[in-house]
Amino acid sequence: MAEITAELVAVERPLWKGKATLVSAQTTEGEIGVLPGHQPLLGQLVNGTVTIKTADGKVLVASVQGGFISVSTSKVSILADKAIWADEVNLSEAESNLTSDDPAVKAQAESEVRAARRASTKSVSYTHLRAHETRGN
């Protein structure tokens, strides 16, 4: 299976770097999936999730608040203002923050809850993306 170098870096720390078969992120244009051979692009991230399917088949999910995604022919870089792994989310605290009057707190909570749920249910479907990858598009 084809691979692409990928990295997820937040302002406060690098989270991951390695080979991936798929990277997806939520941008101002919607959720995008990047496979090896993707056309170069630069996108602005919104508060949401980043999902990385590693070359060894693991699925990594992070909550991300703002930043950019940069795709070249050989590398995907996610540069986030804030990011934490889904398994680092305190779900009960995030769920209680969903009703916060502070828009920033509420947005972060929404992203964290989404990431935790995505990671726990492994709801990401790769069927369509695998078909796309197989065709070499």
Side-chain angles (χ1 to χ4, degrees):
M1 184 173 287
E3 299 172 355
I4 190 167
T5 299
E7 65 180 341
L8 173 57
V9 179
V11 171
E12 64 276 353
R13 67 179 174 148
L15 279 85
W16 187 83
K17 183 175 183 177
K19 296 290 185 182
T21 58
L22 169 73
V23 177
S24 69
Q26 295 171 325
T27 72
T28 56
E29 299 298 316
E31 186 162 2
I32 62 168
V34 177
L35 297 167
H38 196 285
Q39 292 294 315
L41 70 86
L42 180 64
Q44 183 177 359
L45 299 174
V46 296
N47 294 345
T49 60
V50 167
T51 304
I52 301 167
K53 185 170 181 193
T54 67
D56 62 0
K58 293 179 184 166
V59 177
L60 308 174
V61 181
S63 167
V64 173
Q65 286 79 48
F68 294 92
I69 179 171
S70 173
V71 179
S72 71
T73 56
S74 61
K75 186 175 182 181
V76 178
S77 297
I78 306 273
L79 309 170
D81 295 333
K82 292 182 180 181
I84 64 168
W85 291 117
D87 63 3
E88 297 173 333
V89 171
N90 179 332
L91 190 54
S92 61
E93 181 180 329
E95 287 174 337
S96 70
N97 285 339
L98 290 173
T99 58
S100 174
D101 291 333
D102 182 337
V105 171
K106 184 176 181 178
Q108 182 173 340
E110 289 170 347
S111 173
E112 289 177 356
V113 168
R114 196 174 308 124
R117 289 181 180 159
R118 179 173 280 197
S120 69
T121 62
K122 297 187 182 187
S123 63
V124 178
S125 172
Y126 298 101
T127 306
H128 173 70
L129 295 169
R130 279 194 201 117
H132 180 73
E133 184 176 313
T134 302
R135 289 194 310 265
N137 295 332

